[in-house]
Amino acid sequence: MASKGAGASFSRKSYRLTSDAEKSGVTGIVHEKLLNDYLHHVFSSPDGAFPGATSRKPLNFQNLPEHLDQLLHVDDKDEESHGQVEGRLGPPTVVLDHTAGFEGLLLVDDDLLGVIGHSNFGTIRSTTCVYKGKWVYEVLISSQGLMQIGWCTVSCRFNQEEGVGDTHHSYAYDGNRVRKWNVTTTNYGKAWAAGDIVSCLIDLDDGTLSFCLNGVSLGTAFENLSRGLGMAYFPAISLSFKESVAFNFGSRPLRYPVPGYRPLQDPPRADLARAQKLLGCFQAVLGVELDAVEGRLVEKEGSEWRLQGQPTVLLTLTHIFQHFAPLLCKVYLVEAVLMTFLLSLVKAGSPVRAQSAVRQVLDLLWLFMEDHEVQDCLRQLTMSLLRLYRFSPIVPDLGLQVHCLRLTIAILRHERSRKFLLSNVLFDVLRSVVFFYIKSPLRVEEAGLQELIPTTWWPHRSSREGTDGEEAEAPEERQRRRAYERGCQRLRKRIEVVEELQVQILKLLLNNKDVSGGEASRYIFLSKFRKFLQENASSRGNVTMLCPPEYMVCFLHRLISALRYYWDEYKASNPHASFSEEAYVPPQIFYNGKVDYFDLQRLGGLLSHLRKTLKDDLASRANILIDPLELQAATMDDLDEAGESAPAAAQRPMQALAVGGALPLPRPGWLSSPTLGRANRFLSTAAVSLMTPRRPLSTSERVKVRTLSAEQRTREDIEGSRWNEGLLLGRPPEEPEQPTTENSLLEVLDGAVMMYGLGVHQQLGKMVGVSDDVSEYAVALRDTEDKLRRCPTRRKDILAELTKSQKVFSEKLDHLSRRLAWVRTTVYSQEKMRDIYWLLRVCVRTVEHSDQTGPLFAFMPEFYLSVAINSYSALKNYFGPVHSMEELPGYEETLTRLAAILAKHFADTRIVGTDIRDSLLQALASYVCYPSSLRAVERVPEQQRIAMVRSLLAPYEQRPWAQTNWILVRLWRGCGFGYRYTRLPHLLRTKPEDAHLPSLQKPCPSTLLQQHMADLLRQDPDVAPSFLNSVLNQLNWAFSEFVGMIQEIQQAAERLERNFVDSRQLKVCATCFDLSVSLLRVLEMTITLVPEIFLDWAQPTSEMLLRRLAQGLPSQLLNQVLNRVTAERNLFDRVVTLRLPGLESVDHYPILVAVTGILVRLLVHGPPSGTERATSVLLADPCFQLRSICYLLGQPEPPAPGSVLPAPDPKRFSLQSYTEYISVEELRQVEQMLAHLTSASAQAAAASLPTSEEDLCPICYAHPISAVFQPCGHKSCKACINQHLMNNKDCFFCKATIESVEDWEKAAHAGATSSAA
């Protein structure tokens, strides 16, 4: 590096002195008088005066150092002594006391200014205290949770329950609960939000203590503070788990200085004065040019000034930077001097001129400063910029944020600075994702939303059942809505300015053309971006290492915009490529090892397992060979890690930390430290044993085709070369030979999909809460206004309370409607909806292409299917009612393709993960609930539809049968007996006030899928028995569990001590009831679609299935369900009448209507022969009671033959009471069934003969013996032996193998015996 001074030689750039003829015009060599004028112009006197030419001393480069020393001299009066300052005790550099001044577990940044709570209520204080004078410090709020900030004395003792403000001589402000604390608590101040700055002021001359929020005084909080001997106050904070702040005691300029109050840490006044003078000299150089021809100085704007190699200018700048460079490495001076200067450039001129001026300044910094000095300066400058952006207040035009972003863009346009920041700062020291976040204002009045949106409005939805549309909009309401929409439009335009600047930042980071100074920016970004994803994917339970999801949402949208820009730009110059609308991730990226997916689950299981089991498929389909030695090494490493002994694990570093020990984390807390330090310290009041962090996999432990970490990869490893395909190594034959875009963009796309799965979807669902709050308050306001209209005028007290409530609700709605406008603009706008929709289409295309690879589909990470499912759910549920998914281009096609994926892969054997299989099932169940998505399922190719129905009809054992059954129920809902309701009818009868609650989705049955089901049950002889037996088994289990639980609930309710029933038990009980009802509905659908399965006894399994359905096992099926539910004053009745919360769905109507539907199909709609068989089986069951059928019509006893049914008792349950849900025809069928069973029961009673005990089945003792086993000759009823043979071929009694079962009748057997005799 060149030395500084008059005789400096410039090694960075070759400067050529031209001939004498050129000197005056080019080289800048000037005569003595012009040089003297130039130097006096640049290095003016300290007071800024310009003496006359006769009185001032001539200046040249020989006496310039002496003049500069005089200019920069600071009087001793201005220098602060390094000793103690009156009124303050402690070291001059004020930090948090990490050695003794804390309580609990805390994470403290390496600069000892940022802190994160890691225990219940940790407390920490500073190293410096004050006892006299007026003092202030600032706290930057990173999270808005429970914290108490203020002052305490050294005598205060804190614990995990009591913190600052909970003891004598400690005082605190809590903006979370809006209170002040000093042993007792009272209301004080305003609520704070993340991004706010709290100023803590103490006046020990008057004995008062106060606080400011974002520079606005909250008033005096405490008076009459204890003062005197031994009374000194430390800044202190107590904060709960996960909460985080950063302190500014004066190491940086205070954001909101208070006149008369002094920061705890003195600013470097002398250095600040020198830096400001040097900056003035530097600005003077940039503001003037030497005209050697005319012999005069020419004023220029800084953006127009150019360094042209004039020795005079170069030597002048060298003298300036000899003093300026060391100062620009100090945090305070970078923020107070350099950042202020650069921001003034941005604010003063147009963006183009500002960028030119900033680029000129950066060129000079890199030229005249040592590399490490420039790097330190840029690091501090970027940290200060980010801090300013994050903690700037929201104003209507977002001006502060715009200026910060424009300066950031100007810095990043400088190639050398950009690559340094990207390599060492943006993703390592800083949280660059913060630059892409637009924080939501908690206080709309301070954000200026009242000026932008003066008129508020909220939707007034009609919620009564049976109302399809909204009520007619009144003219006044329409006017308010339009005014509100105009305000939202104004807000959107302002936010779009910020978003466009954020996209420009990402475009600079994704630039791959800047290869002159080493690796292009895009490839540096890729390595850092992958590391960012790894930290968030591998640390889901470690809050300190996670990017907040609200930051990730904004980052994703900006990244998609920049990605699509470069994608389409590449298409414009490469016709063989594809547009971004057709983007997808090629399947070879999932298995060729070029992209690291960390420990994320693949569809087929662990990557090491897939590489071993599918190595032949990789070789044959993708030409990828797996080294056996690598496989063996990976296997042994897995065994070693799994079998690591406890003593060995105990020897790992960082297992136990003593008081004040430092724990170097791989990344500091995201919610932490606007000081943005790299490492953290883990503080504990006692030696604690911490959970050992998972040992990260090194590159040698990963099984890859080419073992390279993200940081080690080069451009060739990603993009490939003539003989290297880069990321696209191992192209399967199904994929096109020509790449769709640049390989690096494919990796960015893959990361964007992963990012949505890591936290974006969760945040999208969370932000819907604002819209829900608006709806709830709107309902409350409407109800209050209704009560006001109905309230008698004489009740002044009630009118006053209602008016007060109306005012509170109106004010809250005004606030929420403006906040909702912000949320809809930043999170749920139409542009954001298109981004999520584009991501959905990317996932759909990626899954389709990967599915074509056959067994290699198992290598796909699970998050692709999850993101496809969740993004569709977000589009359907989160962006309405303002924006509808139906407005999106290609909506129906995308819906159909996603339906095909769900239909094919919910039972795909290549997918082994339980969670993802459940997600696919639940998504398919949601799909068939809504008409538009159900029609999409019906548009799936017929072969796939039939395969889906076949999978749904597979036996329920050892699979998530509840979700599968629920899908079948939804296909039937709307076709069954009394199964057309949108709300449970009994709830509206018992609780009419619930009529305003949201209703269920209206029934939308699919006759097409029902027909597929019927065809499969008819045509495949094995499908029907296995499916129905599993349904009957699960029904048997579900209803038995339900009966057992209601017995326990009834017993608990009858105890004198009135024990409360566990809410979880109530929930499980209701779930078992709902499962029983849904299983009965599936049986009803099966009997309706394919009655011959039960009634055509020519089929080998029909009789058995019918007997199982009607008579059941020792547990309960149709007859037992009827008997349990319809008995007078029985257990079911008593539990229903308790009306316990959680058991609202348990009632007579749902289950009795389902059973009635089955019986009507068997006994009324069946053919005569089938009806006769069903009747005989039903009556043959000893459990059958005709009274249970009478109960359905509200009759206590069977009517006499031929008589007319009397009117039902209104106090009793009766289907006739639900005429809104049960048609007249259905009631007529129930009456016809009752008459038929009454007649058949009387005939059976007359014809029946007494049965001796020896003729009863020795297994169930309920049915006569009807079957004999061969060859052993033992006997039982057909129901018992048929059920037994489903699982076992051995005889009940002798364990001999049963070869056949024959009919057995006692009379025939007795006749054969006598003939033989």
Side-chain angles (χ1 to χ4, degrees):
M1 173 62 189
S3 61
K4 314 290 193 297
S9 62
F10 298 94
S11 59
R12 294 181 185 272
K13 190 171 182 179
S14 176
Y15 295 98
R16 179 178 62 86
L17 294 181
T18 61
S19 63
D20 292 340
E22 298 173 316
K23 286 181 181 178
S24 61
V26 178
T27 63
I29 302 276
V30 297
H31 52 76
E32 184 176 347
K33 181 180 181 305
L34 183 57
L35 176 62
N36 176 63
D37 292 342
Y38 178 71
L39 293 180
H40 271 289
H41 175 80
V42 173
F43 301 101
S44 60
S45 59
D47 58 0
F50 289 90
T54 57
S55 61
R56 63 187 183 187
K57 179 181 178 180
L59 280 179
N60 53 45
F61 288 119
Q62 282 69 37
N63 60 14
L64 181 59
E66 180 183 355
H67 177 81
L68 194 54
D69 289 339
Q70 293 177 0
L71 180 67
L72 299 179
H73 176 72
V74 178
D75 293 337
D76 292 338
K77 296 179 182 179
D78 297 332
E79 294 281 1
E80 289 296 339
S81 105
H82 292 286
Q84 296 296 333
V85 178
E86 185 180 7
R88 184 182 68 193
L89 295 175
T93 301
V94 186
V95 294
L96 297 174
D97 189 353
H98 68 289
T99 59
F102 64 91
E103 171 69 33
L105 292 175
L106 299 161
L107 275 171
V108 180
D109 282 350
D110 63 336
D111 59 3
L112 300 182
L113 293 175
V115 61
I116 310 175
H118 211 68
S119 59
N120 184 43
F121 205 49
T123 301
I124 192 169
R125 66 170 187 259
S126 71
T127 56
T128 299
C129 60
V130 293
Y131 61 89
K132 182 181 179 181
K134 299 180 179 181
W135 304 91
V136 61
Y137 71 92
E138 290 182 343
V139 180
L140 284 66
I141 305 297
S142 300
S143 61
Q144 62 189 44
L146 178 59
M147 294 178 282
Q148 293 175 196
I149 303 171
W151 304 81
C152 72
T153 63
V154 71
S155 62
C156 295
R157 295 292 179 264
F158 305 113
N159 53 45
Q160 294 292 298
E161 301 297 331
E162 295 182 344
V164 180
D166 296 326
T167 64
H168 292 286
H169 308 308
S170 70
Y171 307 87
Y173 162 51
D174 175 4
N176 176 261
R177 293 174 287 190
V178 197
R179 305 184 76 82
K180 61 181 181 180
W181 297 80
N182 176 235
V183 182
T184 60
T185 178
T186 54
N187 294 332
Y188 174 79
K190 294 189 294 188
W192 61 37
D196 286 344
I197 296 178
V198 176
S199 302
C200 304
L201 299 87
I202 189 168
D203 183 350
L204 291 170
D205 297 334
D206 293 338
T208 61
L209 195 151
S210 58
F211 299 90
C212 298
L213 186 64
N214 295 327
V216 179
S217 176
L218 301 178
T220 301
F222 302 100
E223 297 177 338
N224 301 321
L225 301 183
S226 299
R227 291 168 288 171
L229 188 64
M231 297 303 296
Y233 291 89
F234 293 83
I237 184 174
S238 297
L239 64 173
S240 58
F241 184 63
K242 301 181 184 179
E243 305 304 333
S244 56
V245 298
F247 286 82
N248 181 13
F249 299 110
S251 61
R252 301 184 304 275
L254 295 180
R255 179 68 57 82
Y256 303 105
V258 181
Y261 285 81
R262 185 175 182 176
L264 266 74
Q265 179 174 327
D266 292 321
R269 293 186 176 88
D271 285 344
L272 179 60
R274 295 188 186 99
Q276 289 172 339
K277 292 176 182 178
L278 289 167
L279 177 63
C281 297
F282 180 66
Q283 288 178 281
V285 173
L286 298 181
V288 71
E289 283 188 357
L290 290 166
D291 188 343
V293 176
E294 298 289 337
R296 64 188 181 90
L297 304 179
V298 180
E299 293 187 359
K300 288 274 189 180
E301 289 190 13
S303 59
E304 299 177 356
W305 186 88
R306 293 292 180 271
L307 180 64
Q308 299 175 354
Q310 303 98 324
T312 302
V313 178
L314 292 172
L315 289 175
T316 303
L317 289 171
T318 301
H319 281 281
I320 293 175
F321 277 97
Q322 183 180 5
H323 298 276
F324 205 12
L327 298 177
L328 291 182
C329 297
K330 298 183 178 181
V331 178
Y332 193 100
L333 301 180
V334 169
E335 187 166 330
V337 178
L338 181 60
M339 187 178 74
T340 304
F341 166 60
L342 294 177
L343 280 173
S344 68
L345 295 178
V346 171
K347 295 176 183 178
S350 65
V352 176
R353 288 189 173 186
Q355 291 171 10
S356 175
V358 172
R359 181 171 61 251
Q360 186 71 52
V361 171
L362 292 174
D363 282 337
L364 295 175
L365 292 181
W366 282 103
L367 179 62
F368 291 102
M369 294 172 64
E370 299 283 355
D371 283 355
H372 69 88
E373 292 174 336
V374 184
Q375 292 169 0
D376 288 344
C377 177
L378 284 174
R379 181 181 291 106
Q380 298 300 337
L381 174 62
T382 315
M383 291 169 65
S384 299
L385 265 178
L386 187 143
R387 192 182 302 114
L388 178 63
Y389 176 80
R390 186 180 182 188
F391 292 95
S392 293
I394 299 293
V395 293
D397 60 351
L398 297 168
L400 294 173
Q401 287 79 3
V402 169
H403 294 320
C404 288
L405 292 174
R406 284 179 176 167
L407 178 54
T408 304
I409 291 171
I411 294 172
L412 292 177
R413 285 192 181 279
H414 189 267
E415 181 177 334
R416 189 171 183 183
S417 301
R418 176 174 70 248
K419 291 185 177 180
F420 164 73
L421 293 173
L422 193 52
S423 300
N424 302 283
V425 179
L426 291 181
F427 280 91
D428 295 312
V429 178
L430 295 181
R431 327 293 195 274
S432 61
V433 176
V434 175
F435 277 123
F436 310 111
Y437 176 57
I438 304 178
K439 65 180 180 182
S440 176
L442 182 64
R443 296 173 296 276
V444 297
E445 64 277 3
E446 294 180 13
L449 294 184
Q450 289 180 338
E451 291 76 14
L452 278 177
I453 311 175
T455 304
T456 59
W457 174 85
W458 48 88
H460 295 272
R461 297 187 181 90
S462 177
S463 57
R464 297 291 176 183
E465 184 178 9
T467 304
D468 296 330
E470 297 185 356
E471 297 176 352
E473 191 176 32
E476 181 182 355
E477 186 75 11
R478 185 184 305 110
Q479 186 176 0
R480 283 186 59 197
R481 176 177 57 81
R482 291 175 177 174
Y484 176 74
E485 291 173 350
R486 288 193 295 270
C488 295
Q489 184 70 12
R490 290 191 292 268
L491 175 63
R492 186 175 68 85
K493 290 180 179 179
R494 285 163 170 76
I495 290 179
E496 282 178 349
V497 174
V498 178
E499 292 178 345
E500 178 56 34
L501 293 173
Q502 293 171 335
V503 173
Q504 289 182 32
I505 292 178
L506 270 173
K507 287 180 181 178
L508 290 171
L509 300 183
L510 289 175
N511 182 10
N512 68 335
K513 303 296 190 297
D514 54 343
V515 295
S516 57
E519 199 76 70
S521 299
R522 180 183 297 176
Y523 306 105
I524 305 174
F525 173 83
L526 277 179
S527 64
K528 300 300 181 181
F529 182 47
R530 211 70 195 173
K531 183 180 178 183
F532 164 81
L533 294 173
Q534 182 178 13
E535 290 168 348
N536 284 273
S538 305
S539 308
R540 303 311 299 159
N542 189 351
V543 178
T544 63
M545 296 177 64
L546 295 180
C547 171
E550 60 269 23
Y551 289 35
M552 202 175 285
V553 171
C554 296
F555 183 31
L556 175 67
H557 288 297
R558 312 303 176 264
L559 184 63
I560 289 176
S561 298
L563 171 61
R564 297 192 66 178
Y565 168 81
Y566 278 111
W567 195 298
D568 291 332
E569 183 184 63
Y570 182 80
K571 166 64 179 176
S573 57
N574 295 271
H576 64 269
S578 63
F579 287 105
S580 61
E581 279 295 333
E582 303 166 357
Y584 70 95
V585 179
Q588 56 265 43
I589 289 180
F590 304 139
Y591 56 73
N592 63 16
K594 293 292 186 177
V595 177
D596 186 7
Y597 289 101
F598 333 124
D599 55 352
L600 295 179
Q601 189 76 4
R602 309 295 183 103
L603 293 179
L606 296 176
L607 179 62
S608 56
H609 167 73
L610 293 175
R611 285 189 178 276
K612 286 184 288 186
T613 56
L614 298 178
K615 61 179 183 294
D616 294 337
D617 294 287
L618 285 172
S620 61
R621 299 181 65 88
N623 295 323
I624 291 180
L625 299 178
I626 305 299
D627 187 355
L629 295 179
E630 286 187 333
L631 285 175
Q632 183 178 1
T635 304
M636 294 305 296
D637 182 77
D638 291 342
L639 292 174
D640 292 342
E641 186 167 348
E644 184 176 14
S645 61
Q651 293 176 4
R652 287 183 177 178
M654 303 183 296
Q655 178 70 11
L657 301 179
V659 175
L663 176 63
L665 295 176
R667 187 177 188 81
W670 271 90
L671 300 177
S672 153
S673 85
T675 59
L676 307 166
R678 177 70 179 91
N680 287 352
R681 299 173 186 242
F682 204 124
L683 305 183
S684 171
T685 51
V688 293
S689 176
L690 299 176
M691 181 182 298
T692 305
R694 176 181 173 86
R695 178 165 59 93
L697 258 58
S698 68
T699 56
S700 61
E701 296 171 328
R702 299 190 181 121
V703 182
K704 293 186 177 180
V705 176
R706 183 178 181 185
T707 308
L708 287 176
S709 65
E711 294 81 1
Q712 293 174 321
R713 295 184 305 172
T714 64
R715 176 174 185 147
E716 183 178 345
D717 295 319
I718 298 173
E719 301 290 2
S721 60
R722 182 175 181 182
W723 306 108
N724 175 18
E725 294 182 283
L727 293 183
L728 298 183
L729 174 68
R731 179 181 61 83
E734 297 82 7
E735 283 298 298
E737 294 185 7
Q738 296 292 341
T740 58
T741 188
E742 296 173 282
N743 292 356
S744 53
L745 296 181
L746 292 174
E747 184 170 345
V748 176
L749 176 59
D750 175 79
V753 176
M754 185 190 300
M755 191 159 56
Y756 184 91
L758 291 179
V760 173
H761 181 73
Q762 176 187 5
Q763 182 65 16
L764 289 179
K766 180 179 178 182
M767 296 305 292
V768 176
V770 180
S771 178
D772 295 340
D773 291 342
V774 170
S775 300
E776 291 176 4
Y777 276 99
V779 171
L781 177 62
R782 186 166 58 249
D783 290 346
T784 304
E785 292 172 346
D786 290 342
K787 292 176 182 177
L788 270 173
R789 285 191 293 268
R790 297 196 308 267
C791 182
T793 55
R794 65 178 183 277
R795 296 302 306 268
K796 303 295 184 182
D797 54 339
I798 298 178
L799 285 173
E801 290 296 324
L802 289 174
T803 304
K804 182 179 178 181
S805 299
Q806 182 187 29
K807 180 181 178 182
V808 171
F809 290 146
S810 298
E811 291 176 352
K812 188 67 176 178
L813 276 170
D814 287 341
H815 168 85
L816 287 175
S817 63
R818 292 187 175 102
R819 188 156 183 260
L820 181 61
W822 182 281
V823 172
R824 284 179 174 170
T825 304
T826 56
V827 181
Y828 298 120
S829 68
Q830 192 171 22
E831 293 75 16
K832 310 299 185 302
M833 186 178 189
R834 291 196 187 105
D835 287 343
I836 303 302
Y837 181 61
W838 181 76
L839 215 56
L840 167 62
R841 291 166 66 91
V842 166
C843 291
V844 168
R845 281 189 290 267
T846 301
V847 173
E848 291 173 345
H849 280 262
S850 188
D851 180 39
Q852 296 173 4
T853 61
L856 300 185
F857 177 66
F859 281 95
M860 171 179 274
E862 286 185 353
F863 66 78
Y864 272 90
L865 280 174
S866 299
V867 170
I869 294 169
N870 292 333
S871 57
Y872 166 72
S873 174
L875 292 169
K876 180 167 63 75
N877 300 317
Y878 300 158
F879 287 85
V882 178
H883 306 294
S884 172
M885 188 179 176
E886 298 178 359
E887 303 170 359
L888 298 170
Y891 158 73
E892 291 190 354
E893 178 199 0
T894 303
L895 214 59
T896 303
R897 293 169 70 177
L898 180 58
I901 289 174
L902 298 177
K904 181 174 183 179
H905 297 297
F906 85 93
D908 194 336
T909 56
R910 296 172 294 180
I911 302 176
V912 300
T914 303
D915 292 341
I916 189 62
R917 291 174 71 93
D918 286 347
S919 298
L920 289 167
L921 262 177
Q922 292 170 10
L924 184 60
S926 174
Y927 238 67
V928 299
C929 270
Y930 302 91
S932 58
S933 51
L934 179 59
R935 299 292 88 82
V937 175
E938 294 178 342
R939 290 194 298 268
V940 169
E942 182 177 3
Q943 186 177 0
Q944 291 188 21
R945 292 199 308 267
I946 295 174
M948 177 191 74
V949 175
R950 184 182 295 276
S951 299
L952 292 174
L953 295 180
Y956 281 4
E957 284 76 13
Q958 298 180 354
R959 58 178 296 196
W961 59 270
Q963 295 95 325
T964 305
N965 189 80
W966 198 240
I967 294 174
L968 295 175
V969 169
R970 290 176 178 180
L971 297 178
W972 177 246
R973 191 159 170 261
C975 296
F977 184 91
Y979 201 33
R980 295 171 294 277
Y981 50 81
T982 55
R983 294 185 180 91
L984 289 173
H986 66 275
L987 289 182
L988 293 180
R989 292 171 63 88
T990 57
K991 299 176 68 177
E993 64 273 14
D994 287 348
H996 68 276
L997 295 177
S999 63
L1000 302 174
Q1001 179 62 32
K1002 292 184 178 180
C1004 51
S1006 172
T1007 55
L1008 178 62
L1009 296 179
Q1010 290 176 17
Q1011 187 58 46
H1012 289 326
M1013 177 180 173
D1015 293 341
L1016 286 172
L1017 291 174
R1018 285 193 186 97
Q1019 297 168 5
D1020 195 328
D1022 298 326
V1023 171
S1026 59
F1027 167 67
L1028 289 172
N1029 276 313
S1030 62
V1031 171
L1032 292 170
N1033 288 339
Q1034 301 303 338
L1035 174 60
N1036 188 26
W1037 170 84
F1039 193 76
S1040 299
E1041 288 293 316
F1042 168 71
V1043 171
M1045 287 182 182
I1046 62 174
Q1047 289 175 346
E1048 296 177 6
I1049 293 171
Q1050 175 64 19
Q1051 292 170 3
E1054 290 178 349
R1055 295 192 187 106
L1056 295 178
E1057 57 271 22
R1058 299 290 294 177
N1059 291 337
F1060 291 99
V1061 183
D1062 187 3
S1063 59
R1064 290 174 297 179
Q1065 185 180 7
L1066 295 175
K1067 185 176 181 180
V1068 173
C1069 179
T1071 302
C1072 288
F1073 179 80
D1074 293 338
L1075 287 174
S1076 301
V1077 173
S1078 64
L1079 289 163
L1080 287 168
R1081 286 298 184 181
V1082 170
L1083 288 173
E1084 179 191 16
M1085 175 173 62
T1086 306
I1087 294 172
T1088 304
L1089 297 176
V1090 199
E1092 60 268 24
I1093 292 180
F1094 291 93
L1095 302 179
D1096 183 6
W1097 285 12
Q1099 300 184 17
T1101 58
S1102 293
E1103 182 181 1
M1104 179 199 67
L1105 291 174
L1106 182 60
R1107 292 185 183 277
R1108 285 204 64 194
L1109 177 66
Q1111 299 173 351
L1113 299 174
S1115 302
Q1116 301 81 7
L1117 284 183
L1118 288 188
N1119 277 324
Q1120 292 294 345
V1121 169
L1122 280 172
N1123 294 340
R1124 291 278 186 179
V1125 176
T1126 61
E1128 296 289 344
R1129 293 181 296 278
N1130 65 349
L1131 180 63
F1132 187 88
D1133 259 341
R1134 290 197 294 269
V1135 170
V1136 168
T1137 54
L1138 289 175
R1139 299 297 175 192
L1140 297 174
L1143 292 184
E1144 291 86 355
S1145 63
V1146 178
D1147 195 81
H1148 297 81
Y1149 182 88
I1151 194 165
L1152 287 181
V1153 172
V1155 173
T1156 304
I1158 296 175
L1159 293 175
V1160 166
R1161 289 294 171 181
L1162 288 174
L1163 302 176
V1164 177
H1165 291 283
S1169 58
T1171 301
E1172 182 180 351
R1173 295 189 186 105
T1175 304
S1176 62
V1177 170
L1178 188 66
L1179 297 180
D1181 184 7
C1183 300
F1184 172 76
Q1185 299 179 18
L1186 190 58
R1187 180 192 55 78
S1188 298
I1189 308 299
C1190 299
Y1191 184 91
L1192 300 175
L1193 297 174
Q1195 305 299 327
E1197 297 295 336
S1203 62
V1204 179
L1205 287 174
D1209 186 350
K1211 296 182 180 180
R1212 301 172 61 89
F1213 173 84
S1214 174
L1215 296 179
Q1216 298 174 1
S1217 303
Y1218 294 90
T1219 54
E1220 296 179 6
Y1221 308 97
I1222 300 177
S1223 65
V1224 175
E1225 176 61 22
E1226 288 173 333
L1227 286 174
R1228 187 192 63 77
Q1229 293 169 0
V1230 176
E1231 295 174 358
Q1232 182 180 348
M1233 177 182 68
L1234 176 60
H1236 170 72
L1237 288 176
T1238 302
S1239 173
S1241 178
Q1243 295 175 8
S1248 62
L1249 298 174
T1251 304
S1252 63
E1253 184 175 349
E1254 63 181 12
D1255 294 332
L1256 291 176
C1257 171
I1259 306 301
C1260 64
Y1261 283 94
H1263 307 292
I1265 296 173
S1266 56
V1268 59
F1269 317 153
Q1270 299 297 340
C1272 63
H1274 290 108
K1275 298 177 286 293
S1276 74
C1277 66
K1278 288 185 178 180
C1280 289
I1281 187 57
N1282 286 337
Q1283 178 64 26
H1284 177 69
L1285 291 177
M1286 291 175 59
N1287 304 307
N1288 201 325
K1289 299 299 182 183
D1290 296 337
C1291 176
F1292 284 112
F1293 309 100
C1294 64
K1295 303 303 179 185
T1297 301
I1298 300 176
E1299 297 179 359
S1300 63
V1301 177
E1302 299 178 358
D1303 293 340
W1304 186 86
E1305 295 182 7
K1306 181 177 179 181
H1309 182 73
T1313 304
S1314 61
S1315 300

